[in-house]
Structure formats: structure tokens, C-alpha cells
Amino acid sequence: MIFRQFFDQVSSTYTYLLASRAGGEALLIDPVKENTAQYLQLLEQLNLKLVIAVDTHTHADHVTALGALREATTCATLMGEQSRAECVSARFHDGERLRLDGLVLQALYTPGHTDESYSLVMNDRVFTGDVLLIRGTGRTDFQNGNPQDSWDSIVHKLFRLPDETLVYPAHDYRGWTTSSIGEEKAWNPRLQVKTAAEYAAIMNQLNLPDPKMMDVAVPANLRCGNPIAQA
Amino acid sequence: MIFRQFFDQVSSTYTYLLASRAGGEALLIDPVKENTAQYLQLLEQLNLKLVIAVDTHTHADHVTALGALREATTCATLMGEQSRAECVSARFHDGERLRLDGLVLQALYTPGHTDESYSLVMNDRVFTGDVLLIRGTGRTDFQNGNPQDSWDSIVHKLFRLPDETLVYPAHDYRGWTTSSIGEEKAWNPRLQVKTAAEYAAIMNQLNLPDPKMMDVAVPANLRCGNPIAQA
């Protein structure tokens, strides 16, 4: 398998490239528009055909590359069925399997950071978007985020994956590149409580400023990152 | 196996943590002093005993954590036999195997970026320090670096590893986290020449400024990152 993690230094976003083999089909998770040329470069060098670009949710801190990648490669651009991004070419639902040659990712509806957030499970790893981070969790105070949903998604869905499952989030701000479900159960400081209410109390006290890019990124991302609306 | 890649955003340095299992012995490659607390945190959380901390070479862009880690954990601090860092607890030679429970890394003398640079080979991957980077190579214009040595190390040593060997360098400035020997053979722009002389011409024209940290980092790193000399 080909597996590549990219780090965008401006927004601290992780993007993931997956393919079963050089010369085969590829999938990108949470690509950043400014890095589109880099993804296309690596796809060409590895002789990969991009067939799917997926956003785990509508990002508020960077502009998605979904539209740019679709224009460049004619790939499918996917988000979950709850997404309000009219531009995506298809929507997946909870439990649906995304297939490309040799690889299968299962969509897991994990709202909380937003109400349209999904995780993607593939064998020994899970791409958690902004719902579960490394020793943190995604904020729940905008885009219909909700601490109760976040708790349910993490505790009752993600934490039912095997402990050794590798966690690949959409962000990390310290330079940690991965974790595991077992580690986050044991060491995620926000999750060392017993009830959703205690977790909500933590999340509701964060008082974070809005992301710098929010007013630009969210409207742009509802158009797949394109400057003008498209069907 | 436990494998973790850390990214230091200040110096764009990658640090690697390796262990065969939770509860076992661990090794760190190219740790950054400012991140010592993070490494100790993860070691504790994974119940790992740090037995070896190794620098691939004397870094000029960040201060090593070797001294701080030895003080905190009593780990061995290793560099290659050509290193002028008197503070290391032991030196390895070309071909020597570094062992911890369940893992073996083979030291490969790969001068060029400096005259005391080593790569570390472990099964399906190689840690290349600053000799071979992703689509780049380490500068050869200070610390007894030499483009002829760099060419020999890359072409006649690293490129003899299997093409599928994963390349984990000590730095990347675009956020790419890994590559492979086959990819670098085919796509590293500095290595698309036929002779060491052509490569040297490229390297000798780079005219790079000195690293910002160089005057601080090199003297500190010859003392394992400690402010006062120690035996």
C-alpha cells in the first residue's frame, strides 16, 4: 500500500494520500487548495490516478482542494450526506464503503465538531477529521457542533474500534503525526471524564477565538473551494 | 512495532521514536531539545524505556536533545565514530548494528552533508538524516561536507537499498513526511545527472545562507546540547 501524510504548515492540516499500488487508483483525504500542485506532482510521479477526493467535513481553517482536484483530474469529490456543500459529486452515508482498486474505506458518521463530520476507517487505521485529535478533540462551538454529539461519536463509535487502531487526524499543532485509539482512551485529557455532561462542561469553557480563515474558508468550502458557485 | 514521527515546526526537523512494543525499549533518532518534554510524555504514556538516543550527525539548525534525554532517562547517547562530540556515551561504526529489544538498526556511513553523517537502516525503511532528503539533498558547504562524498553516499550506498525502502529524512520543508528509494532515484531533481562532477556543480552553485541557528547549534551539539561541557 502507498500511504502518504502531508502537513500544511499554514493551517497545521494533515492530508492523506492512499493507493494500493504505484500505477493504480488513489484517494486524497482533506486536501488543502494551496497544495494542489504538490498532490498532482506526487500523483504523476507515482503514476497514480486520483479517483476520489474527500473532505471529512466543511473545514473552517483552510480552503479545500476538492474543486481544484476535480478540475485537474475529473476525480469524484465526496462528502457525507449531511454536508451543505452543493458542489460535491456524491455523498456517502453512515456505514457506506468507499472503494478504489484494492482499498476499502468505511464511512463512520461522527458529528460533534460539525453536524456533517465523518471519520473513515480502513483496516488498521482511522482518519478522524477534527472529531478526535491527538490528545485533544475538535471544538464544538460553531457549524452546528455539539459536545454531546462529539462525546457520542468518540466514546460510542471511535472508541469501539480496536485499541491498536492508528488515529490519523486532520490536524495537530505540536507536530505529532499519529496516535492510537488505546492511547486516546487512556491519555486524551478531555476524555478522562465519565459523562457527556462533564465533557460538555470542558468543551463549553474553551472560549476559543474563531479561526482566522473562517469567514473565507467556510463559504469557499461550500463551493468545493472554487471562487464562483458551480453546479 | 511502534513508530512515531514528530515534526518540529521551528526547524522543520523530523524526529523518530521506535520501539517493538508498548512496555518495551525505545530509541529516538534526531531529537530536538525544545521538544524533550513531549518525548518524555509519550515514552511515559506508552510505558517505554528509552535506551538509545542517536543523532545522525551534528545538526546546525537545532539543538539536540541527547544530553537532556540522557539526564532524564540515563539512555545511551550515540553518534558515529567520526563525530567530534566528546559528550556521546558511545560511537558506532559503518555496518554496526544498534540493538534494542525486538529491533535492529544498521548504521550506514553516509558522509557528504557532514563528514560524520550516518544513515540508519531498519527492515523496510531508512533514516537518512540530512544526506538524502525528499526531492532534495543536504547542503555540502559546511562542517566538512563534500559533494563527492554526498554523491557516493547516495548513489553507491543508499540507492543500493531496495527501491521500495521508505525514506525518512531529518527534515522536510514542504510537509512531505516520507518517500522511497525508488522515488528519489527517479524524481530527486538534484540526482538526475550521470556523474559526481555534474552533481557537485549543482551543489556548489546553491549559495545558501548559513542556518540561523548554526553559531549556537553546532557548539551546543558538540556538547550533546548541554550548556556546559560534560565528560
Side-chain angles (χ1 to χ4, degrees):
Chain A
M1 186 180 77
I2 293 169
F3 172 70
R4 293 295 164 85
Q5 183 175 26
F6 298 94
F7 179 68
D8 176 63
Q9 296 200 33
V10 177
S11 60
S12 296
T13 300
Y14 287 125
T15 298
Y16 301 94
L17 173 71
L18 296 165
S20 60
R21 58 181 175 84
E25 295 178 345
L27 175 146
L28 275 165
I29 299 173
D30 290 329
V32 175
K33 186 168 185 174
E34 286 75 9
N35 302 335
T36 301
Q38 288 189 37
Y39 311 138
L40 295 175
Q41 179 195 348
L42 185 57
L43 289 163
E44 183 185 353
Q45 293 180 346
L46 296 179
N47 190 24
L48 294 173
K49 178 177 169 52
L50 185 68
V51 294
I52 297 174
V54 54
D55 271 346
T56 52
H57 64 287
T58 300
H59 297 280
D61 55 358
H62 68 269
V63 177
T64 179
L66 257 58
L69 288 167
R70 185 168 57 187
E71 279 179 38
T73 68
T74 71
C75 68
T77 50
L78 307 185
M79 292 187 74
E81 62 182 346
Q82 294 82 357
S83 168
R84 285 166 287 276
E86 296 295 333
C87 60
V88 295
S89 59
R91 293 151 191 275
F92 47 80
H93 56 77
D94 190 30
E96 186 167 339
R97 287 178 164 79
L98 313 184
R99 294 172 192 278
L100 57 165
D101 66 2
L103 296 180
V104 181
L105 287 87
Q106 184 163 21
L108 187 65
Y109 180 48
T110 49
H113 172 62
T114 70
D115 64 354
E116 36 82 273
S117 292
Y118 276 75
S119 298
L120 295 166
V121 182
M122 191 184 72
N123 303 327
D124 65 344
R125 62 196 70 192
V126 57
F127 304 94
T128 56
D130 284 8
V131 177
L132 178 62
L133 305 174
I134 300 171
R135 310 296 191 268
T137 60
R139 62 193 295 172
T140 56
D141 59 339
F142 59 55
Q143 288 193 283
N144 299 313
N146 180 305
Q148 175 74 50
D149 289 346
S150 172
W151 175 264
D152 288 342
S153 292
I154 295 168
V155 174
H156 298 135
K157 292 184 176 180
L158 293 169
F159 279 4
R160 291 189 180 168
L161 296 170
D163 276 357
E164 59 272 23
T165 307
L166 292 168
V167 172
Y168 284 103
H171 296 286
D172 189 77
Y173 302 95
R174 292 193 298 173
W176 292 33
T177 53
T178 190
S179 177
S180 72
I181 290 293
E183 265 177 70
E184 295 310 317
K185 278 183 191 172
W187 297 107
N188 192 309
R190 291 191 185 161
L191 298 165
Q192 305 309 309
V193 291
K194 296 219 181 314
T195 66
E198 291 171 280
Y199 176 68
I202 293 171
M203 297 307 285
N204 290 333
Q205 285 168 14
L206 294 178
N207 288 321
L208 298 168
D210 281 346
K212 282 180 236 165
M213 285 283 291
M214 186 173 179
D215 294 340
V216 173
V218 171
N221 289 340
L222 293 174
R223 300 190 304 267
C224 291
N226 287 322
I228 19 175
Q230 58 172 206
Chain B
M1 186 181 76
I2 293 170
F3 173 69
R4 293 296 163 85
Q5 183 174 26
F6 297 93
F7 180 67
D8 176 64
Q9 296 200 33
V10 176
S11 60
S12 295
T13 300
Y14 288 125
T15 299
Y16 301 94
L17 173 72
L18 296 165
S20 61
R21 59 181 175 83
E25 295 178 345
L27 175 147
L28 275 165
I29 300 173
D30 290 330
V32 175
K33 186 168 184 174
E34 285 76 8
N35 302 333
T36 302
Q38 288 189 37
Y39 311 137
L40 295 174
Q41 179 195 347
L42 184 58
L43 288 163
E44 183 185 354
Q45 292 180 346
L46 296 179
N47 190 25
L48 294 173
K49 177 176 170 51
L50 184 68
V51 293
I52 298 175
V54 53
D55 271 346
T56 53
H57 64 287
T58 300
H59 297 280
D61 57 356
H62 69 268
V63 176
T64 179
L66 257 57
L69 288 166
R70 185 170 56 187
E71 278 179 38
T73 70
T74 71
C75 67
T77 51
L78 306 186
M79 293 187 75
E81 62 182 346
Q82 294 82 357
S83 169
R84 285 167 287 277
E86 296 295 333
C87 59
V88 295
S89 59
R91 293 149 192 275
F92 46 81
H93 57 76
D94 189 32
E96 185 166 339
R97 288 179 161 79
L98 312 185
R99 296 171 190 280
L100 56 165
D101 65 3
L103 295 180
V104 181
L105 288 88
Q106 184 164 20
L108 187 64
Y109 180 46
T110 50
H113 172 63
T114 70
D115 63 354
E116 37 80 272
S117 292
Y118 276 75
S119 298
L120 296 166
V121 182
M122 192 186 71
N123 301 327
D124 66 343
R125 62 197 68 192
V126 57
F127 303 94
T128 56
D130 285 8
V131 177
L132 178 62
L133 305 174
I134 300 172
R135 310 298 192 265
T137 60
R139 63 192 297 172
T140 56
D141 60 339
F142 58 53
Q143 287 194 286
N144 298 314
N146 180 305
Q148 175 73 52
D149 290 346
S150 172
W151 175 265
D152 289 341
S153 292
I154 294 169
V155 174
H156 298 135
K157 292 184 175 179
L158 293 170
F159 280 5
R160 291 190 179 164
L161 295 169
D163 277 358
E164 59 273 22
T165 307
L166 293 168
V167 171
Y168 284 102
H171 297 286
D172 190 78
Y173 302 94
R174 293 192 298 174
W176 292 33
T177 53
T178 190
S179 178
S180 73
I181 291 293
E183 266 179 69
E184 295 310 316
K185 279 185 190 169
W187 297 108
N188 192 308
R190 293 190 185 162
L191 298 165
Q192 304 309 306
V193 290
K194 296 221 180 312
T195 65
E198 291 171 280
Y199 175 68
I202 294 171
M203 297 307 285
N204 290 335
Q205 285 168 15
L206 293 178
N207 288 321
L208 297 169
D210 282 345
K212 282 180 237 163
M213 285 283 290
M214 187 173 178
D215 293 342
V216 174
V218 171
N221 290 339
L222 292 174
R223 299 189 306 265
C224 292
N226 285 323
I228 11 172
Q230 58 173 206

